[in-house]
Amino acid sequence: MKSRVWAAAWLAATLLSSCLWRSTQRWPGPMANTVEPLPEGDAREHLPGPEEVSVVRHADPVQIRPVGALSGHPMAFYDKRARLTAGGAVIVSPGGRAEVLWPSGSSIVLFGEAVGWVGSTSRGDPMFELREVDRARLDLQAGDQVRLLGGAVLSGASGPYVLQRDPDQTLLVHNQSKASVQVAFREETFELGPGRAVRLPLLSSGGAPYVDDPQLQRFAGPGFNVRLLGALDCAEEGGGVRVRAAATLADQSEARALGVRVRLSAGESAFFSDPRPAPPAVQPLPAEPARTESPAPRP
C-alpha cells in the first residue's frame, strides 16, 4: 500500500513539472538562429520570369519545384502534365523520366537522376540550366541555349543532342542531328558537326565560358587557339604550341588554351597540346594489278 502511494506521488510530480515547463526539451536547449531573418537560399539565384513550360511525367519518380518554393513536391500518378514558370525546377530521381516542353517546340528529356532549372530568356538567361544529370536528350530551335552541367553553354537549332555523364567526372556531348552545334567551354568554343562528340571535364572551378578581354591576343595553333595577355612569344612545336615569356618581363603574363590558364613570370614557358586523338590518316587504296588480255583463240 505504501509503495502504491509513492508511485502515485511520483507520477503526480512528473505531470506537474511537465506542465510548468514550456517545452519538453530539457538538454540541450533550443537552437537559436544566428541570422535573422534566415537567408533565402538558392531562390535568389533563380528569379521568377514570365516564361512558361510544360513538364510531362513519363516515369516515376518526378518532382516539380515552383518558383519561390523551398522544396519540390512529387507529381501524383494522375498528374501526367504540369505547368512551370521560369525560376522553377524539375527534379528526377533514379529510374524516373521527365520531359520539359516549350511553346516554341523545343524539348528536353531527362533520364535518371537530374535537376534542372527553367531560365528566363527575356532576362538573358539560358532557357534551361542543368545542375545534375545522368542522361538527357535535347531538341532545340534557333537561338536556344542550355547551360550544361559544370557551366558550359550549348547553342543549337536542331537535335537531338545527347548528354551523358560518365563515372570519370566527364560529360559527353554527342551531336546526333544533321546540323552543327556549338559548345562554349571556358575560353574555347567547340563546333560539333553531325555525328561528332566532345567530352567535357567537370572541373571544381566550373566550365562557364570566359568573357574575352579586348587586350587578349590570339595565336592559331594546330587545331586550337591560344590567347595571350602580355609580352609572350608563341611558336608551334611538336604538334602543340610553346609559349615563352621574355627574360626581362616585369609583370606576370597569362596564356589561355584548352580550358587552362597559365600565368608566366620572366623566363618561364608553357606547352599546350591538344589531348584529343588525331583523326586516323586515310590510307590509299592499293593499286590494282594490270590486266593482261589473253590472245583470242584461233578458229
Side-chain angles (χ1 to χ4, degrees):
M1 183 65 182
K2 191 174 181 179
S3 60
R4 294 182 180 179
V5 173
W6 278 107
W10 177 82
L11 180 60
T14 305
L15 295 177
L16 181 61
S17 62
S18 62
C19 293
L20 295 177
W21 288 89
R22 295 183 179 180
S23 174
T24 58
Q25 186 173 2
R26 297 293 183 268
W27 184 264
M31 297 179 61
N33 296 335
T34 58
V35 179
E36 187 66 34
L38 292 175
E40 301 178 3
D42 56 1
R44 184 175 297 179
E45 301 179 6
H46 307 279
L47 300 177
E51 292 78 8
E52 187 177 89
V53 300
S54 297
V55 180
V56 181
R57 175 184 55 83
H58 293 294
D60 283 330
V62 176
Q63 299 185 34
I64 58 174
R65 177 178 171 180
V67 58
L70 299 179
S71 61
H73 63 270
M75 298 179 64
F77 67 93
Y78 51 82
D79 288 335
K80 183 70 175 179
R81 182 185 295 261
R83 292 183 179 181
L84 198 63
T85 57
V90 182
I91 306 169
V92 184
S93 299
R97 184 175 65 175
E99 183 175 5
V100 187
L101 300 171
W102 279 260
S104 62
S106 303
S107 70
I108 296 179
V109 183
L110 305 174
F111 303 87
E113 186 176 4
V115 177
W117 294 84
V118 181
S120 178
T121 55
S122 61
R123 198 168 47 239
D125 300 335
M127 60 183 296
F128 202 68
E129 179 180 354
L130 290 167
R131 287 296 181 91
E132 186 66 41
V133 65
D134 281 346
R135 187 170 175 268
R137 187 183 72 232
L138 286 63
D139 290 275
L140 308 180
Q141 302 294 328
D144 290 344
Q145 289 186 336
V146 176
R147 189 174 299 278
L148 306 180
L149 183 65
V153 177
L154 182 145
S155 304
S158 183
Y161 312 124
V162 177
L163 311 177
Q164 183 173 344
R165 181 177 182 176
D166 293 333
D168 58 352
Q169 293 301 310
T170 58
L171 181 67
L172 179 66
V173 183
H174 188 194
N175 181 14
Q176 296 184 356
S177 70
K178 298 182 180 180
S180 61
V181 62
Q182 294 79 34
V183 180
F185 177 77
R186 297 174 75 91
E187 74 272 2
E188 289 293 332
T189 300
F190 300 97
E191 185 85 16
L192 303 180
R196 302 296 299 273
V198 63
R199 192 177 296 274
L200 305 177
L202 300 178
L203 306 175
S204 58
S205 58
Y210 290 152
V211 179
D212 281 345
D213 191 337
Q215 298 180 355
L216 289 176
Q217 302 176 0
R218 179 176 297 183
F219 180 83
F224 62 94
N225 295 324
V226 181
R227 292 172 174 82
L228 310 172
L229 181 62
L232 298 173
D233 296 329
C234 284
E236 293 191 17
E237 178 183 324
V241 176
R242 174 71 64 177
V243 182
R244 292 184 176 88
T248 58
L249 186 65
D251 300 329
Q252 284 188 344
S253 297
E254 188 174 273
R256 307 176 183 177
L258 300 172
V260 179
R261 288 187 177 189
V262 179
R263 293 182 178 179
L264 300 174
S265 300
E268 295 181 343
S269 66
F271 180 75
F272 297 94
S273 62
D274 194 346
R276 294 173 295 180
V282 179
Q283 299 293 336
L285 297 176
E288 296 183 359
R291 296 182 179 180
T292 57
E293 297 182 359
S294 57
R298 295 181 178 180

